[in-house]
Amino acid sequence: MREYNIVITGVGGQGVLTAANILGWAALRAGYKVRLGEVHGMSQRFGSVISYVRFGEDVYGSMVPEGKADVMLSFEPVEALRYINYLKEGGMAVINTKPIVPVQVSMGMAKYPSLDEIRRIFEEDFKAKWIGFNAEELAEKAGHVVTTNTVLIGALTQIPEFPLDAEHVREVIKISVPPKAVDVNMKAFDLGIQAAKDILGL
Amino acid sequence: MAKVSDIVLWDKPGEKVLLLGNQAIARGALEANIAVYAAYPGTPSSELTDTMAAVAEKAGVYMEYSTNEKVAFETALAAAWSGLRAMTAMKHVGLNVAADTFMSAVGMGVEGGFVIMVADDPSMWSSQNEQDTRVYAKFANVPVLEPADPHEAKEMTKYAFELSEKFKHFVILRTTTRTSHARGDVVLGELPEEIKQGKRKFGKFKKDPSRFVDVPANARNFHPIILEKIEKIREELNNCPFNWIEGKEDAKVGIIAPGLSYAYVKEALAWLGVDNVKILKLGTPFPVPYGLLEKFLEGLEKVLIVEELEPVVEEQVKTWAYDKGITIPIHGKDLVPRIYEMTTRRAVTAIAKFLGVETPINFEELDAKYEKVKPLLPPRPPSLCPACPHRNSFYAIKKATKGKAIYPSDIGCYTLGLLPPLQAVDTTVAMGASIGIAHGLSIAQNGSLSEEQKSPEKQVIVATIGDSTFYHTGLPALANAIYNRSNVLVVVLDNLVTAMTGDQPNPSTGQTPHGMGKRIPIEDVAKAMGADFVAVVDPYDIKTTYETMKKALEVEGVSVVVARQPCALYKVGQMRRRGMTWPIYQVNEEKCTGCRVCINAYGCPAIYWDEEKRQARVEPTMCWGCGGCAQVCPFGAFEPVKEGAE
């Protein structure tokens, strides 16, 4: 495989960097050349964030160019839409549909678009496949809301032709979370897998 | 996966690991047998310093968080004068702080290898300007090495020490955000015995006043020495392992790609499906090795230089070509933007134009489609964290001044007090500048207290500055304001760490990475300097904080109020690790009148507006339990309802 490109988007503090790191290690252990791109510092404080995960035999820069992402993993619907131009035509978007309303919206300075409208833009205007579900609810079901990113990673492993083996990704999560959090994360991972399977009809 | 601090110390040569560019540089410094490391944190350089902090004791390296870049530079420089391998790191604007020592000491050279790591931030993801350190390097006649990926960053660090030692000259290792904050596969090399055993290395300073005392008589000798050294280094770099020519030998077109631009060029060529070009990969954008350049240009009919920011390589290449009578077209900044960071898209677009071919994606079409999405996107700028004690400090300042004062502020996460609804930041320039600007405003608007003539209209000035910034460059500015009888209120937003860059310690923390340092309370410094009013407040107690601000504003002269509470992000992280919980506030629907004070005046990101019920709500996953909302709400609608997450 020459290259596989993932963009991960969300709100600073949601675990975007952690998710990127887990996928990066899984790709490294699968023998690929790996590049991850991220932003630290002030830009991370509850603002909009994007991280890049790239792997394959032929990867160089750490940023995915616009129009070249095979998949988008998004922790928040508006943050998915904000970076929609990174997805390639026919790309896949795995999206947590639970919104985090920005202060500017609460203050009445801006509007939050409807979920239906966001989905329509993905499917119709950008010809992308929409795999949206409330991952936070599933994380709570697994035992803790902080496992939302594990739920989403689980779902990601189920999309067609995803080059990393779900069990390999699971192993990396197992060794990267604190020992007492392993069980709840494994449960979250499984719930994510099931959610994607249900949506994709697998 | 193992902890990064363990990986960086692994004695496993040949092992392939995933490291952040900055972590890879730390490993490179260890493989080079570094002895002394000193730095002040600044994004995007900080993780290099944090990694050194995490491994220094085990590796026998002396490491410190210095109070600013200039003193860090001097600490490391003196160690290099003593024959040790030493390193300092900073962000691009940090080099401005260290520039005084940097420019003067470069002529003195070093004994042990001395590497200055400078992380530039093209596109200003976390910075107040966009400056190209390669221009500084050229200004000072110091060679600059620029890696194309994390593994090369590690290897280059080792080479930088060797080059510095060989020529007894400073060497700059320059990264950008996209190398410092890129993770990539890095192959570990050998660690020296001393590092493995954690043996601290000590140096010896040999006195030589003709070299180390910068009086004009000595300094006059330095400039020719510097120029001679840089030309010798230019020669040496013809054989630098990070400079090479690749691609079709008989190609008629060539591309010069310095540093990280090499990665973008390689990707762009693959994406375009073009292979009939010759590439000059340059790991040393200054000085450009002319021998290699000459070899590269042989047989070429046109050349494109793909470089980020300033035309540093372009100017060297064009000047040299002109002198040699080479007249082939040399493109650069006519096709590659001079502002913001390089991207693959930019490289693809420039190369396509240069070769007269189509881009693989119709970017204009994609942009047009995206333009229609943009109006739907609510802005989501970064914000002060939930439970940030200094949301309360700003809130109290605004209330005490009825929003009518001038608010000079400083560099740190609290600069985010700029945003609505707080809007309590009117100026931010550079580290420590808030107090200097406040004093200047006081003199300009009201006059000095020691003067007889004063402005009939008094403008109130309230400066804000963080604890780390206070010790960085706030100290001389405060001394100046007090000495010159300024009339300002300085509020030190003390959260006991350098929060924005990742919770590094500073004199207000007291603790160093290796144990106890000596804590310096800010109020003691203000008192010793002779401030006219000094008080310490707990910003979680909004009423008292407000009352203290009122009192301070009544005092003529320089008032200093220290608002002290630990950084919420830091505190919550520690509580999580210890399995501790905190109260989560929620809105009592019976009591909330929908007045929006909590949103329109306080602005905690955990509070949002429920459009249907026309009431405020708390997002439980974001509440860190400070209770500020309960103090701000006029109707007592916020109540702690349950213990928060572990």
Side-chain angles (χ1 to χ4, degrees), chain A residues 140-195:
Chain A
E140 265 166 27
K141 217 166 123 190
H144 207 296
V145 66
V146 299
T147 60
T148 304
N149 53 9
T150 309
V151 172
L152 286 164
I153 294 171
L156 178 72
T157 60
Q158 297 309 302
I159 65 169
E161 286 155 42
F162 188 70
L164 301 175
D165 189 272
E167 290 316 301
H168 287 163
V169 178
R170 186 197 292 278
E171 284 312 302
V172 175
I173 295 174
K174 227 184 232 174
I175 53 173
S176 43
V177 301
K180 62 172 184 171
V182 168
D183 288 348
V184 50
N185 272 284
M186 291 305 104
K187 214 168 152 195
F189 192 74
D190 287 334
L191 287 172
I193 289 177
Q194 198 49 51

Side-chain angles (χ1 to χ4, degrees), chain A residues 40 45 54 79 82 106, chain B residues 47 267 370 380 383 596:
Chain A
H40 300 195
R45 300 273 190 276
R54 325 186 67 185
E79 296 318 315
R82 198 183 302 281
S106 291
Chain B
E47 299 77 13
E267 186 176 342
Y370 187 63
R380 195 191 303 269
S383 76
R596 294 212 206 202

Side-chain angles (χ1 to χ4, degrees), chain A residues 25 34-36 38 40 42-43 45-46 48 54 63 66-67 76 79 82 98 100 106 125 175-176, chain B residues 1 47 125-126 178 181-185 264 267 345 369-370 378 380 382-383 386 499 596 608-609 619:
Chain A
W25 272 100
V34 183
R35 292 286 179 273
L36 310 187
E38 51 204 62
H40 300 195
M42 196 207 279
S43 5
R45 300 273 190 276
F46 297 89
S48 158
R54 325 186 67 185
M63 284 182 294
E66 292 102 306
E76 206 279 342
E79 296 318 315
R82 198 183 302 281
K98 165 82 194 298
I100 294 178
S106 291
D125 298 352
I175 53 173
S176 43
Chain B
M1 50 224 174
E47 299 77 13
W125 297 104
S126 223
R178 300 300 172 183
H181 291 167
R183 268 172 230 269
D185 32 302
Y264 298 118
E267 186 176 342
R345 174 177 169 172
K369 223 162 43 166
Y370 187 63
R380 195 191 303 269
S383 76
R596 294 212 206 202
Y608 65 95
W609 181 248
E619 169 60 53

Side-chain angles (χ1 to χ4, degrees), chain A residues 2-3 5 10-11 17-18 20-22 24-25 28-29 31-48 52 54 58-68 76 78-79 81-87 89 98-113 117 121 125-127 136 140 144-146 172 175-176 180, chain B residues 1-2 7 10 16-20 43 47 125-126 148-150 177-178 181-185 260 262-264 266-267 270-271 341-345 361 363 366-367 369-370 373 376-386 412-413 415-416 419-421 499-503 569 576-579 596 599-600 603-605 607-609 619 621-622 624 645-646:
Chain A
R2 239 197 78 208
E3 65 175 85
N5 293 314
V11 177
L17 293 190
T18 312
N21 215 359
I22 284 167
W25 272 100
L28 187 81
R29 286 159 63 117
Y32 293 117
K33 198 173 158 186
V34 183
R35 292 286 179 273
L36 310 187
E38 51 204 62
V39 169
H40 300 195
M42 196 207 279
S43 5
Q44 221 202 321
R45 300 273 190 276
F46 297 89
S48 158
Y52 311 95
R54 325 186 67 185
D58 209 15
V59 291
Y60 293 95
S62 63
M63 284 182 294
V64 175
E66 292 102 306
K68 225 186 176 192
E76 206 279 342
V78 146
E79 296 318 315
L81 186 60
R82 198 183 302 281
Y83 301 104
I84 192 170
N85 53 334
Y86 282 88
L87 260 186
E89 239 185 70
K98 165 82 194 298
I100 294 178
V101 181
V103 174
Q104 286 73 12
V105 171
S106 291
M107 289 180 74
M109 294 161 65
K111 268 194 126 117
Y112 196 99
E117 174 69 353
I121 296 170
D125 298 352
F126 282 79
K127 313 265 178 284
E136 196 176 299
E140 265 166 27
H144 207 296
V145 66
V146 299
V172 175
I175 53 173
S176 43
K180 62 172 184 171
Chain B
M1 50 224 174
I7 295 174
W10 266 354
K16 199 191 246 187
V17 294
L18 189 63
L19 288 181
L20 198 64
T43 314
E47 299 77 13
W125 297 104
S126 223
D149 62 44
T177 309
R178 300 300 172 183
H181 291 167
R183 268 172 230 269
D185 32 302
L260 186 54
Y262 170 74
Y264 298 118
K266 288 287 279 187
E267 186 176 342
W271 203 8
E341 70 181 344
M342 179 66 63
T343 60
T344 302
R345 174 177 169 172
I361 283 186
F363 290 115
L366 182 64
D367 289 347
K369 223 162 43 166
Y370 187 63
V373 173
L376 297 174
L377 296 168
R380 195 191 303 269
S383 76
L384 294 174
C385 299
C413 23
T415 313
L416 296 168
L419 297 167
M500 192 178 93
T501 46
D503 303 327
L569 188 62
R576 261 199 191 116
R577 248 165 273 143
R578 290 180 196 145
R596 294 212 206 202
I599 289 167
N600 289 350
C604 171
I607 305 173
Y608 65 95
W609 181 248
E619 169 60 53
T621 58
M622 285 167 79
W624 293 350
E646 72 197 53

Side-chain angles (χ1 to χ4, degrees), chain B residues 516-531:
Chain B
M516 287 309 287
K518 186 159 184 172
R519 183 165 175 266
I520 313 175
I522 291 159
E523 57 276 21
D524 290 1
V525 176
K527 276 182 208 151
M529 278 192 187

